[in-house]
Amino acid sequence: MSKSILKDKSFLFAIRVVNLYKVITETKREFVMSKQVYRSGTAVGALIREAQNAESKLDFIHKLAIAQKECDETMYWLELLKATNFISQNEFDSISKDNLELLKMLKSSILTVKSSIKK
């Protein structure tokens, strides 16, 4: 069985999101935005896992496209948490770098599979 870099990175990202959620809720007592980033940030990896069991290439693309949307939504919540001072610039820079990397990998994977369908 081949190793999936996207699967591994999304799992590690989800761990970071869960830990961020714990810190924000425990130290800052913020529960709304932190829950949103928790949901969207952990959904990315779950959707990538779903894509691995896709019924077709189109289903695979669809599931990765939803993961891409969740990844982009996660960035929104991270930006909002930073803008409202619930996370520091350093915290934001660190986790958003991982988020952007995942987003780029998802986009690339989608484009690669789309191009293989057109051939």
Side-chain angles (χ1 to χ4, degrees), residues 6-17 98 102:
L6 191 55
K7 180 178 145 186
D8 293 344
K9 285 188 179 287
S10 65
F11 187 76
L12 292 174
F13 181 71
I15 291 170
R16 290 197 69 190
V17 168
D98 288 348
L102 265 176

Side-chain angles (χ1 to χ4, degrees), residues 3-52:
K3 196 138 173 78
S4 169
I5 295 170
L6 191 55
K7 180 178 145 186
D8 293 344
K9 285 188 179 287
S10 65
F11 187 76
L12 292 174
F13 181 71
I15 291 170
R16 290 197 69 190
V17 168
V18 169
N19 288 330
L20 177 65
Y21 171 78
K22 289 193 294 191
V23 168
I24 294 171
T25 57
E26 291 170 7
T27 63
K28 305 282 185 158
R29 309 296 297 161
E30 195 295 313
F31 300 99
V32 177
M33 291 181 288
S34 58
K35 182 66 120 185
Q36 293 289 72
V37 78
Y38 176 86
R39 286 180 179 162
S40 61
T42 56
V44 176
L47 287 159
I48 290 167
R49 291 269 179 111
E50 275 189 54
Q52 290 181 322

Side-chain angles (χ1 to χ4, degrees), residues 40 44 62 64-74 103 106:
S40 61
V44 176
H62 177 70
L64 285 188
I66 297 170
Q68 179 182 321
K69 289 178 183 181
E70 292 292 334
C71 200
D72 197 40
E73 180 183 336
T74 301
L103 192 56
L106 284 163

